[in-house]
Coordinates of all heavy atoms in Angstrom, one line a residue:
M1 N -20.9 -9.7 0.1 CA -19.8 -10.7 0.3 C -20.0 -11.6 1.4 O -20.3 -11.1 2.5 CB -18.5 -9.9 0.3 CG -17.2 -10.8 0.4 SD -15.8 -10.0 0.2 CE -15.9 -8.6 1.2
M2 N -19.9 -12.9 1.2 CA -20.1 -13.7 2.4 C -18.8 -14.4 2.7 O -18.5 -15.6 2.6 CB -21.1 -14.9 1.8 CG -22.4 -14.4 1.4 SD -23.6 -15.7 1.1 CE -22.9 -16.2 -0.5
V3 N -17.8 -13.6 3.3 CA -16.5 -14.1 3.6 C -16.6 -15.0 4.8 O -15.7 -15.9 4.9 CB -15.6 -12.9 4.0 CG1 -15.3 -12.1 2.6 CG2 -16.1 -12.0 5.0
N4 N -17.5 -14.9 5.7 CA -17.7 -15.8 6.8 C -18.1 -17.2 6.4 O -17.9 -18.2 7.2 CB -18.6 -15.2 7.8 CG -18.1 -14.0 8.5 OD1 -16.9 -13.9 8.6 ND2 -18.9 -13.2 9.0
Q5 N -18.5 -17.4 5.1 CA -18.9 -18.7 4.6 C -17.9 -19.1 3.6 O -18.3 -19.9 2.7 CB -20.4 -18.6 4.0 CG -21.4 -18.2 5.0 CD -22.8 -18.1 4.4 OE1 -23.0 -18.3 3.3 NE2 -23.7 -17.6 5.2
D6 N -16.7 -18.5 3.6 CA -15.6 -18.9 2.7 C -15.9 -18.6 1.3 O -15.5 -19.2 0.3 CB -15.4 -20.4 2.9 CG -13.9 -20.7 3.1 OD1 -13.2 -19.7 3.2 OD2 -13.5 -21.8 3.3
K7 N -16.8 -17.7 1.0 CA -17.1 -17.2 -0.4 C -16.7 -15.7 -0.6 O -17.1 -14.9 0.3 CB -18.6 -17.4 -0.7 CG -19.0 -18.8 -0.6 CD -20.5 -18.8 -0.8 CE -21.0 -20.2 -0.6 NZ -22.4 -20.3 -0.6
T8 N -16.0 -15.5 -1.6 CA -15.7 -14.0 -2.0 C -16.2 -13.9 -3.4 O -15.9 -14.8 -4.3 CB -14.2 -13.7 -1.8 OG1 -13.4 -14.5 -2.6 CG2 -13.8 -13.7 -0.4
I9 N -16.6 -12.7 -3.8 CA -17.0 -12.5 -5.2 C -15.8 -12.2 -6.0 O -14.7 -11.7 -5.6 CB -18.0 -11.3 -5.3 CG1 -17.5 -10.0 -4.7 CG2 -19.3 -11.8 -4.7 CD1 -18.4 -8.9 -4.8
P10 N -15.8 -12.5 -7.3 CA -14.6 -12.4 -8.2 C -14.1 -10.9 -8.2 O -12.9 -10.7 -8.4 CB -15.2 -12.7 -9.6 CG -16.3 -13.6 -9.3 CD -16.9 -13.1 -8.0
E11 N -15.0 -9.9 -8.1 CA -14.5 -8.6 -8.1 C -13.6 -8.2 -7.0 O -12.7 -7.4 -7.2 CB -15.7 -7.6 -8.2 CG -16.6 -7.6 -9.3 CD -17.6 -8.8 -9.4 OE1 -17.6 -9.5 -8.5 OE2 -18.4 -8.7 -10.4
V12 N -13.8 -8.8 -5.9 CA -13.0 -8.6 -4.7 C -11.7 -9.4 -4.9 O -10.6 -8.9 -4.6 CB -13.7 -8.9 -3.4 CG1 -12.7 -8.9 -2.2 CG2 -14.9 -8.1 -3.1
H13 N -11.8 -10.7 -5.3 CA -10.7 -11.5 -5.4 C -9.6 -10.9 -6.4 O -8.4 -11.1 -6.2 CB -11.0 -12.9 -5.8 CG -9.9 -13.8 -5.9 ND1 -9.3 -14.4 -4.8 CD2 -9.3 -14.4 -7.0 CE1 -8.3 -15.2 -5.2 NE2 -8.3 -15.2 -6.5
R14 N -10.0 -10.3 -7.4 CA -9.0 -9.9 -8.5 C -8.2 -8.7 -7.9 O -7.2 -8.3 -8.5 CB -9.8 -9.5 -9.7 CG -10.6 -8.2 -9.7 CD -11.0 -7.9 -11.2 NE -11.2 -6.6 -11.2 CZ -12.3 -5.9 -11.8 NH1 -13.1 -6.7 -12.4 NH2 -12.4 -4.7 -11.7
F15 N -8.6 -8.1 -6.7 CA -7.8 -7.0 -6.2 C -6.9 -7.5 -5.1 O -6.2 -6.8 -4.4 CB -8.7 -5.9 -5.7 CG -9.4 -5.2 -6.8 CD1 -10.8 -5.2 -6.9 CD2 -8.7 -4.4 -7.8 CE1 -11.5 -4.5 -7.9 CE2 -9.4 -3.8 -8.7 CZ -10.7 -3.8 -8.9
K16 N -7.0 -8.8 -4.8 CA -6.2 -9.3 -3.7 C -4.7 -9.1 -3.8 O -4.0 -9.4 -4.8 CB -6.4 -10.9 -3.6 CG -5.7 -11.5 -2.4 CD -6.0 -13.0 -2.4 CE -5.3 -13.7 -1.3 NZ -5.6 -15.2 -1.2
N17 N -4.2 -8.3 -2.8 CA -2.8 -8.0 -2.7 C -2.2 -7.3 -3.8 O -1.0 -7.3 -4.0 CB -2.0 -9.3 -2.3 CG -2.4 -9.9 -1.1 OD1 -2.9 -9.3 -0.2 ND2 -2.3 -11.2 -1.0
K18 N -3.1 -6.5 -4.6 CA -2.5 -5.6 -5.6 C -1.9 -4.4 -4.9 O -2.6 -3.7 -4.1 CB -3.6 -5.2 -6.6 CG -4.3 -6.3 -7.3 CD -3.4 -6.8 -8.4 CE -4.1 -8.0 -9.2 NZ -3.3 -8.7 -10.0
E19 N -0.6 -4.1 -5.2 CA 0.0 -3.0 -4.5 C -0.7 -1.7 -4.7 O -0.7 -0.9 -3.7 CB 1.4 -2.9 -5.1 CG 2.3 -4.0 -4.5 CD 3.7 -3.8 -4.9 OE1 4.2 -2.6 -5.1 OE2 4.5 -4.8 -5.1
D20 N -1.3 -1.4 -5.7 CA -2.0 -0.2 -6.0 C -3.4 -0.1 -5.7 O -4.1 0.8 -6.0 CB -1.7 0.4 -7.5 CG -2.4 -0.7 -8.4 OD1 -2.5 -1.9 -8.1 OD2 -2.6 -0.3 -9.6
K21 N -4.0 -1.2 -5.0 CA -5.4 -1.3 -4.7 C -5.5 -1.6 -3.2 O -4.8 -2.2 -2.5 CB -6.1 -2.4 -5.5 CG -5.9 -2.3 -7.0 CD -6.7 -1.2 -7.6 CE -6.5 -1.2 -9.0 NZ -6.9 0.1 -9.5
K22 N -6.7 -1.0 -2.6 CA -7.0 -1.2 -1.3 C -8.5 -1.7 -1.3 O -9.4 -1.2 -2.0 CB -7.0 0.1 -0.5 CG -5.6 0.5 -0.3 CD -5.5 1.8 0.6 CE -4.2 2.4 0.9 NZ -3.1 2.1 0.1
I23 N -8.8 -2.7 -0.4 CA -10.1 -3.3 -0.3 C -10.6 -2.7 1.1 O -10.0 -2.9 2.1 CB -10.1 -4.8 -0.2 CG1 -9.6 -5.3 -1.5 CG2 -11.5 -5.3 0.1 CD1 -9.2 -6.8 -1.5
I24 N -11.6 -1.8 0.9 CA -12.2 -1.1 2.1 C -13.5 -1.8 2.5 O -14.4 -1.9 1.8 CB -12.4 0.4 1.8 CG1 -11.2 1.1 1.3 CG2 -12.9 1.1 3.1 CD1 -10.1 1.0 2.2
I25 N -13.6 -2.3 3.8 CA -14.7 -2.9 4.3 C -15.5 -1.8 5.1 O -14.9 -1.2 6.0 CB -14.4 -4.1 5.2 CG1 -13.7 -5.2 4.3 CG2 -15.6 -4.6 5.8 CD1 -12.3 -5.2 4.5
Y26 N -16.7 -1.7 4.8 CA -17.6 -0.8 5.7 C -19.0 -1.3 5.7 O -19.6 -1.8 4.7 CB -17.5 0.7 5.2 CG -18.3 0.9 3.8 CD1 -19.5 1.3 3.8 CD2 -17.5 0.8 2.6 CE1 -20.1 1.5 2.5 CE2 -18.1 1.0 1.3 CZ -19.5 1.4 1.4 OH -20.0 1.6 0.2
V27 N -19.5 -1.3 6.9 CA -20.9 -1.8 7.1 C -21.5 -0.9 8.3 O -20.8 -0.3 9.0 CB -21.0 -3.2 7.6 CG1 -20.6 -4.1 6.4 CG2 -20.1 -3.5 8.7
S28 N -22.8 -0.9 8.3 CA -23.5 -0.1 9.3 C -23.2 -0.6 10.8 O -23.1 0.1 11.7 CB -25.0 0.1 9.0 OG -25.6 -1.3 9.0
D29 N -23.1 -1.9 10.9 CA -22.7 -2.5 12.2 C -21.3 -2.9 12.2 O -21.0 -3.9 11.5 CB -23.7 -3.7 12.4 CG -23.4 -4.4 13.7 OD1 -22.5 -4.1 14.5 OD2 -24.3 -5.2 14.2
E30 N -20.6 -2.1 12.9 CA -19.1 -2.4 12.8 C -18.6 -3.8 13.3 O -17.6 -4.2 12.9 CB -18.5 -1.1 13.7 CG -16.9 -1.1 13.3 CD -16.4 0.2 13.9 OE1 -16.8 1.3 13.4 OE2 -15.3 0.1 14.7
R31 N -19.5 -4.4 14.2 CA -19.1 -5.7 14.6 C -19.0 -6.6 13.4 O -18.1 -7.5 13.3 CB -20.0 -6.2 15.7 CG -19.9 -5.5 17.0 CD -21.0 -5.8 17.8 NE -22.3 -5.4 17.2 CZ -23.5 -5.4 17.8 NH1 -23.7 -6.1 19.0 NH2 -24.5 -5.0 17.2
N32 N -20.0 -6.5 12.5 CA -19.9 -7.3 11.2 C -18.8 -7.0 10.4 O -18.1 -7.9 9.7 CB -21.2 -7.1 10.5 CG -22.5 -7.7 11.2 OD1 -22.3 -8.6 12.1 ND2 -23.6 -7.2 10.9
G33 N -18.4 -5.6 10.4 CA -17.3 -5.3 9.6 C -16.0 -5.8 10.1 O -15.2 -6.3 9.4
I34 N -15.9 -5.9 11.4 CA -14.7 -6.5 12.1 C -14.5 -8.0 11.7 O -13.5 -8.4 11.3 CB -14.7 -6.3 13.6 CG1 -14.5 -4.9 14.0 CG2 -13.6 -7.2 14.3 CD1 -14.8 -4.6 15.5
A35 N -15.7 -8.7 11.7 CA -15.7 -10.1 11.3 C -15.3 -10.2 9.8 O -14.4 -11.2 9.4 CB -17.0 -10.7 11.6
A36 N -15.8 -9.4 9.0 CA -15.5 -9.5 7.5 C -14.0 -9.2 7.3 O -13.3 -9.8 6.5 CB -16.4 -8.6 6.6
A37 N -13.5 -8.1 7.9 CA -12.1 -7.7 7.8 C -11.2 -8.9 8.2 O -10.2 -9.2 7.5 CB -11.8 -6.4 8.5
R38 N -11.6 -9.4 9.3 CA -10.7 -10.5 9.9 C -10.7 -11.6 9.0 O -9.6 -12.4 8.7 CB -11.2 -10.9 11.3 CG -10.3 -12.0 11.9 CD -10.7 -12.2 13.3 NE -10.2 -11.1 14.1 CZ -10.9 -10.4 15.1 NH1 -12.2 -10.7 15.2 NH2 -10.5 -9.4 15.7
A39 N -11.9 -12.1 8.4 CA -12.0 -13.1 7.5 C -11.1 -12.9 6.3 O -10.4 -13.8 5.8 CB -13.4 -13.4 7.2
L40 N -11.0 -11.8 5.8 CA -10.3 -11.5 4.5 C -8.8 -11.6 4.8 O -8.0 -12.2 4.1 CB -10.5 -10.1 4.0 CG -11.9 -10.0 3.3 CD1 -12.1 -8.5 2.8 CD2 -11.9 -10.9 2.0
V41 N -8.4 -11.0 6.0 CA -7.0 -11.1 6.4 C -6.7 -12.5 6.7 O -5.5 -13.0 6.3 CB -6.7 -10.3 7.7 CG1 -5.3 -10.5 8.2 CG2 -6.8 -8.8 7.4
D42 N -7.4 -13.3 7.2 CA -7.2 -14.7 7.5 C -7.0 -15.4 6.2 O -6.3 -16.5 6.1 CB -8.2 -15.4 8.3 CG -8.2 -14.9 9.8 OD1 -7.3 -14.3 10.2 OD2 -9.3 -15.2 10.5
R43 N -7.6 -15.0 5.1 CA -7.6 -15.7 3.8 C -6.5 -15.1 2.9 O -6.3 -15.3 1.8 CB -9.0 -15.4 3.1 CG -9.9 -16.5 3.7 CD -11.3 -16.2 3.1 NE -12.3 -17.1 3.8 CZ -12.8 -17.0 5.0 NH1 -12.5 -15.9 5.7 NH2 -13.8 -17.8 5.4
G44 N -5.6 -14.2 3.6 CA -4.5 -13.7 2.9 C -4.6 -12.4 2.1 O -3.8 -12.0 1.3
Y45 N -5.7 -11.6 2.3 CA -5.9 -10.4 1.7 C -5.2 -9.3 2.6 O -5.8 -8.7 3.5 CB -7.4 -10.1 1.7 CG -8.2 -10.8 0.7 CD1 -8.6 -12.2 0.9 CD2 -8.6 -10.2 -0.6 CE1 -9.3 -12.9 -0.1 CE2 -9.4 -10.9 -1.5 CZ -9.7 -12.3 -1.2 OH -10.3 -13.0 -2.2
D46 N -4.0 -9.1 2.3 CA -3.2 -8.2 3.1 C -3.4 -6.7 2.8 O -3.0 -5.9 3.5 CB -1.7 -8.4 2.9 CG -1.3 -9.8 3.3 OD1 -1.9 -10.3 4.2 OD2 -0.3 -10.4 2.7
N47 N -4.2 -6.4 1.7 CA -4.6 -5.1 1.4 C -6.0 -4.7 1.7 O -6.6 -3.9 1.1 CB -4.3 -4.8 -0.1 CG -5.1 -5.7 -1.1 OD1 -5.5 -6.8 -0.7 ND2 -5.4 -5.1 -2.2
S48 N -6.5 -5.4 2.7 CA -7.9 -5.1 3.2 C -7.9 -4.2 4.5 O -7.0 -4.4 5.3 CB -8.7 -6.3 3.3 OG -8.2 -7.1 4.3
Y49 N -8.8 -3.3 4.6 CA -9.0 -2.4 5.7 C -10.4 -2.1 6.1 O -11.3 -2.1 5.2 CB -8.3 -1.0 5.3 CG -6.9 -1.2 4.8 CD1 -6.6 -1.4 3.5 CD2 -5.9 -0.9 5.6 CE1 -5.3 -1.5 2.9 CE2 -4.5 -1.1 5.3 CZ -4.3 -1.3 3.9 OH -3.0 -1.4 3.5
L50 N -10.5 -1.9 7.4 CA -11.9 -1.7 7.9 C -12.1 -0.2 8.1 O -11.2 0.4 8.7 CB -12.2 -2.4 9.3 CG -13.4 -2.1 10.0 CD1 -14.7 -2.6 9.2 CD2 -13.4 -2.8 11.3
L51 N -13.1 0.4 7.5 CA -13.4 1.7 7.7 C -14.1 2.0 9.0 O -15.4 1.8 9.0 CB -14.2 2.4 6.6 CG -14.6 3.8 6.5 CD1 -13.3 4.7 6.5 CD2 -15.4 4.2 5.4
T52 N -13.5 2.3 10.1 CA -14.0 2.5 11.3 C -15.0 3.6 11.4 O -14.7 4.7 10.8 CB -12.9 2.8 12.4 OG1 -11.9 1.7 12.4 CG2 -13.4 2.9 13.8
G53 N -16.2 3.4 11.9 CA -17.2 4.4 12.0 C -18.2 4.3 10.8 O -19.2 5.1 10.7
G54 N -17.8 3.6 9.8 CA -18.7 3.3 8.6 C -18.6 4.6 7.7 O -17.8 5.5 7.8
I55 N -19.2 4.4 6.5 CA -19.2 5.4 5.5 C -19.8 6.8 5.9 O -19.3 7.8 5.5 CB -19.9 4.9 4.3 CG1 -19.6 5.7 3.0 CG2 -21.4 4.9 4.4 CD1 -18.2 5.7 2.6
E56 N -20.7 6.8 6.8 CA -21.4 8.0 7.2 C -20.3 8.9 8.0 O -20.2 10.1 7.8 CB -22.6 7.7 8.2 CG -23.8 7.2 7.4 CD -23.7 5.7 7.3 OE1 -22.7 5.1 7.9 OE2 -24.6 5.1 6.6
K57 N -19.5 8.2 8.8 CA -18.5 8.9 9.6 C -17.5 9.4 8.7 O -16.9 10.5 8.9 CB -17.9 8.0 10.7 CG -17.0 8.7 11.7 CD -17.7 9.6 12.6 CE -16.8 10.0 13.7 NZ -17.4 11.0 14.5
F58 N -17.0 8.7 7.7 CA -16.2 9.1 6.7 C -16.6 10.4 6.0 O -15.7 11.3 5.8 CB -15.8 7.9 5.7 CG -14.7 8.4 4.7 CD1 -13.5 8.2 5.0 CD2 -15.2 8.8 3.4 CE1 -12.4 8.6 4.0 CE2 -14.2 9.0 2.5 CZ -12.9 9.1 2.8
I59 N -17.8 10.3 5.5 CA -18.3 11.6 4.8 C -18.4 12.8 5.8 O -18.1 13.8 5.2 CB -19.8 11.1 4.3 CG1 -19.8 10.1 3.2 CG2 -20.6 12.4 3.8 CD1 -21.1 9.6 2.8
E60 N -18.7 12.5 7.0 CA -18.7 13.6 7.9 C -17.4 14.2 8.1 O -17.2 15.4 8.2 CB -19.2 13.1 9.2 CG -19.4 14.1 10.4 CD -19.9 13.5 11.6 OE1 -20.9 12.7 11.5 OE2 -19.2 13.6 12.7
E61 N -16.3 13.3 8.3 CA -15.0 13.8 8.6 C -14.2 14.3 7.4 O -13.2 15.0 7.5 CB -14.2 12.7 9.4 CG -14.8 12.6 10.8 CD -13.9 11.7 11.6 OE1 -12.7 11.4 11.2 OE2 -14.5 11.2 12.7
Y62 N -14.5 13.7 6.2 CA -13.7 14.0 5.0 C -14.5 14.3 3.8 O -14.4 13.6 2.7 CB -12.8 12.7 4.6 CG -11.9 12.3 5.8 CD1 -12.3 11.2 6.5 CD2 -10.7 12.9 6.0 CE1 -11.4 10.9 7.6 CE2 -9.9 12.6 7.0 CZ -10.3 11.5 7.9 OH -9.5 11.2 8.9
P63 N -15.4 15.3 3.8 CA -16.2 15.7 2.7 C -15.5 16.0 1.5 O -16.1 15.9 0.4 CB -17.1 16.8 3.2 CG -16.3 17.4 4.3 CD -15.5 16.3 4.9
N64 N -14.3 16.5 1.6 CA -13.6 16.9 0.4 C -13.0 15.8 -0.4 O -12.6 15.9 -1.5 CB -12.3 17.8 0.8 CG -11.4 17.0 1.8 OD1 -11.9 16.4 2.7 ND2 -10.1 17.2 1.6
L65 N -13.1 14.5 0.2 CA -12.6 13.3 -0.6 C -13.7 12.6 -1.2 O -13.7 11.6 -1.9 CB -12.0 12.3 0.4 CG -10.7 12.8 1.0 CD1 -10.1 11.8 2.0 CD2 -9.7 13.2 0.0
I66 N -15.1 13.1 -1.1 CA -16.3 12.5 -1.7 C -16.4 13.1 -3.1 O -16.5 14.4 -3.2 CB -17.5 12.7 -0.7 CG1 -17.1 12.1 0.6 CG2 -18.7 12.1 -1.3 CD1 -16.9 10.7 0.7
E67 N -16.8 12.3 -4.0 CA -17.1 12.7 -5.3 C -18.5 12.1 -5.7 O -18.9 11.0 -5.3 CB -16.1 12.2 -6.4 CG -14.8 12.9 -6.1 CD -13.7 12.3 -7.2 OE1 -14.1 11.7 -8.2 OE2 -12.5 12.6 -7.0
G68 N -19.2 12.8 -6.6 CA -20.5 12.3 -7.1 C -21.7 12.8 -6.3 O -21.6 13.6 -5.3
N69 N -22.8 12.3 -6.8 CA -24.2 12.6 -6.3 C -24.8 11.3 -5.6 O -24.3 10.3 -5.7 CB -25.1 13.1 -7.3 CG -24.6 14.4 -7.9 OD1 -24.1 15.2 -7.3 ND2 -24.6 14.4 -9.3
N70 N -25.8 11.6 -4.8 CA -26.5 10.5 -4.1 C -25.6 9.7 -3.2 O -25.6 8.4 -3.3 CB -27.3 9.7 -5.2 CG -28.2 10.4 -5.9 OD1 -28.9 11.3 -5.5 ND2 -28.3 10.1 -7.3
I71 N -24.8 10.3 -2.4 CA -23.9 9.6 -1.5 C -24.7 8.9 -0.5 O -25.7 9.7 0.0 CB -23.0 10.7 -0.9 CG1 -22.2 11.5 -2.0 CG2 -21.9 9.9 0.0 CD1 -21.4 10.7 -3.0
P72 N -24.4 7.7 -0.1 CA -25.3 7.0 0.9 C -25.3 7.7 2.2 O -24.3 8.4 2.7 CB -24.7 5.7 1.0 CG -23.4 5.7 0.2 CD -23.4 7.0 -0.6

């Protein structure tokens, strides 16, 4: 997603501000994630969140919430 260039993909846009949906931003370099999350919020995506520590930290801390195989 190129939110810093004022572009969002339709799959993200259709979840904008849906009460029952959350848009989770995660990247390996958290600085880029902060920029992406801020860009979405600035564009009115009130249901967007940054996953601090990235997906690896989430898997480490919450393995019971992970489903499926070949987890990144």
Side-chain angles (χ1 to χ4, degrees):
M1 177 170 46
M2 298 183 291
V3 294
N4 291 333
Q5 297 176 8
D6 235 1
K7 298 177 183 176
T8 56
I9 56 176
E11 289 84 357
V12 174
H13 183 71
R14 74 172 203 223
F15 293 114
K16 181 179 182 178
N17 299 333
K18 300 286 184 187
E19 287 186 27
D20 61 337
K21 303 294 181 194
K22 291 181 177 29
I23 300 170
I24 308 297
I25 297 101
Y26 68 92
V27 294
S28 57
D29 183 347
E30 197 165 301
R31 292 172 294 184
N32 293 334
I34 291 168
R38 182 171 289 129
L40 284 176
V41 169
D42 288 348
R43 288 171 179 78
Y45 286 77
D46 297 330
N47 62 332
S48 61
Y49 303 87
L50 176 64
L51 181 61
T52 304
I55 193 71
E56 292 84 7
K57 187 73 169 171
F58 181 84
I59 291 169
E60 180 182 309
E61 291 189 14
Y62 304 99
N64 57 319
L65 297 177
I66 305 299
E67 296 181 9
N69 299 318
N70 299 323
I71 309 299

